Amino acid sequence: MGLLIPGEHVPEPRQGNPGDETRTRSSVITARAAASFDPVGRSVATARAFVRDTLQGWGYADVVDDAVVLTSELVTNAVVHAGTKADVLCLRSDDGVRVEVADRYPEREVPLLGSPADIAGPDRENGRGLLLCAALASRWGVEYTPTRKNVWFQLDLPNRPVGTRSAGPAVPTALLPVTDGRVRVAVVQIDRAGAVRAWNEDAEELFGYPAEQVTGKALTDFAAWPHTPGTSTGIVEALQLSRWEGTYGIRGADGRVVPVYASHLRVRDTEGEPSTVCLLVRDDERAVLQTPVRQPATDPATLGESRNVDPFEVFIGSPAPDDLDGLLQRTVERARDMLDGDSAFLLLATDDETELEVRATTGLPSARQRFARVPVEAGTGRYGSARMPAVHEDLAAVPGAVPLLESTGMRSVVTVPLKVEGRLTGSLGVAAESPGRYSNEEALRLQFAADRIALAVESARLGELERLRRGSLSFLVEASDLLAGTLDRDQTLALMAQMTVPTLATWCAVYTIADQASDPYLSYVLHEDEERIDGLKALLSKINPPEPVPTPGARVWTAPGEAAHQAALRVSMRDLGRSGSPHTGGGLGTTLSTAAAVGGETVVLPLVARNRVIGMLTLGKPSDDHFRQEILELAEDLSRRAALALDNARLYSERMAISRSLQRSLLPPGLPQIPGVEVEVIYRAAGEGNEVGGDFYDLFPIRDGAYGFAIGDVCGTGPEAAAVTGLARHALRLLAREGFGGPAVLERLNAAILDEGARSRFLTLLYGELWPQEDGSAILKIVCAGHPLPLRLRQDGSVEPAADPQPLLGVMEDLELYEQTITLDPGDVLLCVTDGITERREGTRMLGDDGLTDVLASCTGLTAGAVAARVLRAVERFAAEPASDDMAILSMRIPEQAKR
């Protein structure tokens, strides 16, 4: 690539700044290197590598960084903005290096002198490349031809004596570093196991140990500090690096710690055995060993300000991003540019430091990699741990060493840990497409940057975690309130899914298990895009459900993604075979969209309640997406609450089904049709979920032509009152059909209630027998035992009681009851109610018997059903509050047309 051309002269350069005086200068070209790069994004990195390798090969390390930055900007303008090939030419002369970057834009216009308008071309990005040339280059210029534009810059070399690598300025004697009368440099050689193999006389003088006392012992036995102050690299790690400088302490023979400055160089002997040579001096004499740091040229006017520059801002830039994602993205971009890589990535460690989670990438498919997790101790060999700097010269030789880079085309990579107070918090890596790009020197540079960014990253991460935890607490509180607000199973399932989508996942499926012998059943499916729900449900219905494992925590479930992929492949092949060319038909489009919906990570969380797996909560992400660890932890908390709510709903549903079944057994199976008599019953039990309470009614045939009817009220409400209700209703039917008259039926019922003992309750009861007559009237025999009196409505609108009051049941053993006989004429109405009607209250007001009489008086000419409905409507309108007592209405009417 480099071509030596003795005697060739560089043409007279033109100043880049208009108006500057043009200087004539003749320089001999000693080497030339040229290359062309295609108009693709990766050409920028390739061009940077070309310039860096060329200048380093020429020994121009002092100007490499500036040349790479300028080349990167100019090549970007050519291949990205102009969209043409870029020709890069490097020329070496005796006083510097000149780099030319030319593009081949076909419609290049030559700018006219004094043109009032700026020429806007695709090679410009607000003039940033030319501004950088003006700031960094010694000289620069732009040359135009009708078919191309050539931008060149010249970087001069510092004047140095032959053989001098680097040198400081001459200073007065008084300002030279102070040392003892004799500077002692300890030379210690350490073998691959970390044991001392050589110990010179200066080491004996500095630390007080003779060579025979320390030979064969580990250097760490004498080291006083486990880590270098201010960095995350320990002595053990430092001994494995190719070159290292730093400070630590050696405990002398007298027990005192001797602070030393050390320079380590790792070498190998003729047989290939590696060892480390350590040069050590007293820490206050570090100038003897410390490598001078090359500083960029600094304006004297700003020299005072540069001393206060924060190393963090030097790497990240100012102002630094104030959010974690922005900080991480800026970090990977700067790391990639610093090492001239093709890609970079940053991973953050989980709380237990067992896994690393991908949080920022550049040059990699970020949508596929974001939040992916890799184990900390992945890989083999000495580069296998993320806790130390690692360099892979060729990933093809160590498959799987860096799982994140598999199938990305990257060949070489350097990774360094991010540590805070000795704890692993993350890993930073830079990768390149060509092998052998990185060595331990780049690892040290990247580690230096990582050490300065680690604390800021950890602080931002903790801030993000605190915000996530606060949001999680609010989310869980709201979720608990919503789940506790319902005991309906279907509604609980819907709430579970709606709380997870889209807050935690893109789609959700809930499987339920009825009992230990049952298979999981797909009960609910939800996707943030409603149009994909049917396709997702169809896909999940065709695959076996996940295993109901009671182990807590989320586990990955690959079956949906694999099934969706296979279905999409089959449909695509069938579609190709049918038409000869692909098209997005309805079936293919639906299948592909479903495959994309479940193509990411899918996890299953068990729903465990009362030590039993009652279902599974399945969460999914779209193609190539992963769950964050914090999201999975939040989903696990939600699954525990949802499982308990779902089990409570199940238990409530079972008990309600049992309760309703028992209550329905206490109600009459149906009302018989009585010839010549209209009958209507309205029943309302107080309390949520109650179908039967303390009030009851019945209407049943006794024998041919005779019917019994009853309406009663047991003291209290709820299951206890319902039990007495069942006893009363069944006893009435049995005794009446045995031929007992009304008083005898009630007296025997009274004895049965008293036999219940402590469970007995007093009972008010209206019992009667009805005989329809051939003339259209009806004869009734009634016994009213402590119950509200039945009311009779005549055709003329008059209302009167149809019976006299008598003692209630369940209080006294000896009762003397009697029955009263009345005749209902055509058009007459008999209304029987419980005290829930007459005792309806609104504040201090009560409907009472008079209010009921007024309502009934307005019902002249109405059917039995209309009478009952009007009474109920009047009761409900009397007060705004819901009824607190059971209510029963029995209405019987003799139709006028029945009269013969």
Side-chain angles (χ1 to χ4, degrees), residues 717-899:
T717 59
E720 294 82 3
V724 179
T725 295
L727 171 64
R729 194 178 67 79
H730 290 92
L732 285 175
R733 288 196 172 206
L734 179 61
L735 293 171
R737 287 171 176 170
E738 288 295 324
F740 292 100
V745 169
L746 267 60
E747 288 170 1
R748 285 165 173 74
L749 176 59
N750 179 67
I753 294 174
L754 292 175
D755 288 343
E756 291 292 310
R759 296 182 299 175
S760 66
R761 290 171 176 257
F762 62 81
L763 167 67
T764 66
L765 179 63
L766 171 66
Y767 173 75
E769 296 179 358
L770 179 148
W771 288 270
Q773 304 298 308
E774 293 184 0
D775 60 359
S777 63
I779 297 176
L780 288 80
K781 293 183 178 181
I782 301 174
V783 180
C784 185
H787 198 78
L789 299 179
L791 299 179
R792 177 178 182 177
L793 171 64
R794 296 183 181 274
Q795 279 189 310
D796 57 5
S798 60
V799 178
E800 60 184 10
D804 297 331
Q806 298 184 59
L808 54 82
L809 308 181
V811 178
M812 299 178 295
E813 292 185 1
D814 297 328
L815 289 180
E816 295 182 1
L817 302 174
Y818 57 91
E819 60 184 10
Q820 296 174 273
T821 303
I822 63 171
T823 300
L824 292 181
D825 297 324
D828 289 353
V829 175
L830 183 69
L831 179 66
C832 308
V833 300
T834 57
D835 60 4
I837 299 293
T838 58
E839 295 181 0
R840 177 70 163 156
R841 295 181 179 275
E842 174 67 23
T844 58
R845 298 186 307 116
M846 186 173 70
L847 180 64
D849 295 334
D850 294 337
L852 180 61
T853 299
D854 294 339
V855 173
L856 183 60
S858 65
C859 296
T860 304
L862 298 181
T863 63
V867 171
R870 177 170 291 188
V871 170
L872 178 64
R873 186 164 58 251
V875 172
E876 290 176 341
R877 290 179 177 178
F878 187 81
E881 295 296 326
S884 59
D885 195 5
D886 303 329
M887 295 185 296
I889 301 172
L890 174 60
S891 173
M892 293 184 291
R893 178 176 180 270
I894 308 300
E896 293 178 323
Q897 63 270 23
K899 185 175 180 180

Side-chain angles (χ1 to χ4, degrees), residues 656 659-661 663-665 667 683-693 695:
M656 285 301 299
S659 175
R660 289 191 177 97
S661 178
Q663 291 185 66
R664 281 192 295 269
S665 68
L667 295 174
Y683 184 81
R684 295 288 187 273
E688 184 178 357
N690 290 333
E691 294 188 18
V692 176
D695 291 5

Side-chain angles (χ1 to χ4, degrees), residues 191 220 232 352 444 489 500 540 617 624 673 684 806 898:
D191 63 14
T220 53
S232 61
D352 56 4
L444 288 175
R489 177 182 175 276
T500 56
L540 295 177
L617 177 63
D624 300 328
Q673 294 291 330
R684 295 288 187 273
Q806 298 184 59

Side-chain angles (χ1 to χ4, degrees), residues 440-722:
N440 283 347
E441 183 177 350
E442 283 80 12
L444 288 175
R445 293 179 60 196
L446 190 61
Q447 184 67 70
F448 180 84
D451 289 341
R452 276 143 187 81
I453 195 66
L455 187 59
V457 169
E458 180 67 3
S459 177
R461 187 180 76 91
L462 292 176
E464 181 190 66
L465 288 177
E466 181 62 24
R467 290 189 295 272
L468 284 174
R469 288 191 177 99
R470 290 180 180 179
S472 299
L473 288 175
S474 300
F475 174 79
L476 291 175
V477 168
E478 182 179 358
S480 299
D481 289 343
L482 290 173
L483 292 171
T486 179
L487 288 172
D488 182 82
R489 177 182 175 276
D490 293 337
Q491 189 173 359
T492 301
L493 290 172
L495 283 175
M496 290 170 57
Q498 292 166 7
M499 283 185 292
T500 56
V501 176
T503 305
L504 305 182
T506 304
W507 62 271
C508 167
V510 183
Y511 291 84
T512 57
I513 303 175
D515 51 61
Q516 297 295 335
S518 302
D519 294 329
Y521 174 75
L522 182 61
S523 298
Y524 202 91
V525 177
L526 183 65
H527 193 284
E528 63 180 5
D529 184 356
E530 294 183 357
E531 295 181 355
R532 298 188 177 184
I533 294 178
D534 292 338
L536 180 59
K537 186 182 298 183
L539 173 69
L540 295 177
S541 300
K542 295 177 182 178
I543 62 178
N544 294 328
E547 290 294 328
V549 179
T551 306
R555 68 182 192 276
V556 177
W557 186 32
T558 60
E562 295 172 354
H565 175 74
Q566 293 297 327
L569 183 61
R570 288 194 301 270
V571 174
S572 299
M573 296 299 293
R574 187 168 59 249
D575 191 70
L576 284 170
R578 181 187 308 116
S579 62
S581 61
H583 63 83
T584 55
L588 177 59
T590 301
T591 304
L592 293 179
S593 64
T594 302
V598 300
E601 190 173 47
T602 301
V603 297
V604 178
L605 298 104
L607 298 175
V608 181
R610 298 175 176 89
N611 299 321
R612 187 174 71 89
V613 180
I614 63 171
M616 284 87 69
L617 177 63
T618 304
L619 306 179
K621 285 282 190 177
S623 292
D624 300 328
D625 206 351
H626 298 265
F627 286 98
R628 295 185 58 178
Q629 185 64 31
E630 294 84 1
I631 296 299
L632 293 179
E633 293 173 358
L634 180 58
E636 187 176 355
D637 286 339
L638 176 64
S639 67
R640 287 194 291 267
R641 290 165 170 79
L644 188 59
L646 184 61
D647 199 46
N648 288 339
R650 177 188 63 83
L651 293 174
Y652 178 77
S653 299
E654 291 178 355
R655 282 159 176 72
M656 285 301 299
I658 295 172
S659 175
R660 289 191 177 97
S661 178
L662 292 175
Q663 291 185 66
R664 281 192 295 269
S665 68
L666 302 177
L667 295 174
L671 297 179
Q673 294 291 330
I674 302 178
V677 180
E678 296 176 0
V679 179
E680 181 65 29
V681 174
I682 296 178
Y683 184 81
R684 295 288 187 273
E688 184 178 357
N690 290 333
E691 294 188 18
V692 176
D695 291 5
F696 69 95
Y697 68 92
D698 202 359
L699 181 64
F700 55 93
I702 299 176
R703 50 190 175 274
D704 292 342
Y707 298 87
F709 66 91
I711 184 169
D713 184 3
V714 179
C715 175
T717 59
E720 294 82 3

